[in-house]
Amino acid sequence: GEPVTALQVSSNGYVRLDGGAATGYANTGIPSATDPNGFIAALWDDLNPGAGGSVWVRTVGSAGNRQFVADWLNVPQYSASGSAATFEIVLDEATGAATLQYQDVVFGNATYDYGLSATSGIENPAGSAGTQVSYSTASLANLTAKRCTNNNTPAPPAITTTSLSDGTTGTFYSAQVQAVGGQSPYTFSLTGSLPSGLSLSSSGAITGTPSSTGTSS
């Protein structure tokens, strides 16, 4: 739910949003105040693309519905010999979701296979909150994916002002309509009627000098 203007792709299986280095190789649990913070990790481990494989990024789709893809292709673990891992992170512009996709998480060494020495999940920039998908457990599997979405959708807005105080003809009047839920600031509009001389602003203020008597809704 927050804008990001910069992203760094780490050789060690994660992307870091905005500032700070993306060179950390010793994975931690989520959340952790230890640097790096503000990251999305698919398979944060001590990886070694210098020994084989590749890391690449690509943006696909059109504005408003783009996807940013970071892919680690056949990248070996630094201390393991044998096969290598292939996985990717897909960031969706339209929904804000992050999808962690695993084609192959077997390094050919039981100490590192299936995420046993890795971290997977999302952490906020302060390192104070996040979603831990996996931490140093063999809980990831080939040909699977994890989709992380923002579940903090606000409740629909609702007007809480059910009645207003009476006014006096010829005397200036002022009242404020209140609402909760949704995302402020609110924009108010009139569906009923007001006495002559009164008007409703877009911020919910009813002001003016009434020139007639009666009941309005």
Side-chain angles (χ1 to χ4, degrees):
E2 298 181 13
V4 173
T5 58
L7 180 146
Q8 297 180 77
V9 179
S10 173
S11 62
N12 293 312
Y14 64 90
V15 296
R16 184 166 185 171
L17 310 179
D18 286 336
T23 56
Y25 62 88
N27 66 302
T28 65
I30 297 175
S32 172
T34 303
D35 191 78
N37 302 119
F39 61 81
I40 301 172
L43 192 74
W44 176 14
D45 204 340
D46 189 5
L47 304 181
N48 187 18
S54 59
V55 180
W56 58 266
V57 298
R58 180 172 296 170
T59 301
V60 297
S62 56
N65 291 284
R66 290 171 294 189
Q67 290 183 318
F68 176 86
V69 183
D71 186 275
W72 290 259
L73 179 64
N74 293 322
V75 176
Q77 210 279 349
Y78 190 85
S79 301
S81 59
S83 59
T86 295
F87 56 92
E88 66 184 7
I89 297 173
V90 181
L91 306 182
D92 189 77
E93 180 180 24
T95 66
T99 302
L100 316 176
Q101 301 192 142
Y102 303 97
Q103 178 175 314
D104 183 358
V105 287
V106 177
F107 291 104
N109 186 313
T111 303
Y112 310 105
D113 291 345
Y114 304 109
L116 185 57
S117 60
T119 295
S120 174
I122 296 178
E123 184 183 86
N124 72 344
S128 59
T131 297
Q132 180 173 283
V133 174
S134 176
Y135 172 59
S136 295
T137 58
S139 58
L140 303 177
N142 292 350
L143 304 179
T144 64
K146 306 290 185 180
R147 181 176 172 87
C148 300
T149 60
N150 179 11
N151 292 323
N152 298 319
T153 303
I159 296 176
T160 56
T161 302
T162 58
S163 63
L164 296 169
S165 60
D166 291 341
T168 302
T169 303
T171 301
F172 182 77
Y173 181 85
S174 178
Q176 177 66 44
V177 181
Q178 302 289 339
V180 296
Q183 292 182 323
S184 60
Y186 306 112
T187 300
F188 292 86
S189 60
L190 190 64
T191 58
S193 61
L194 289 173
S196 300
L198 297 183
S199 63
L200 172 72
S201 73
S202 61
S203 62
I206 298 176
T207 58
T209 301
S211 58
S212 61
T213 60
T215 301
S216 298
S217 61

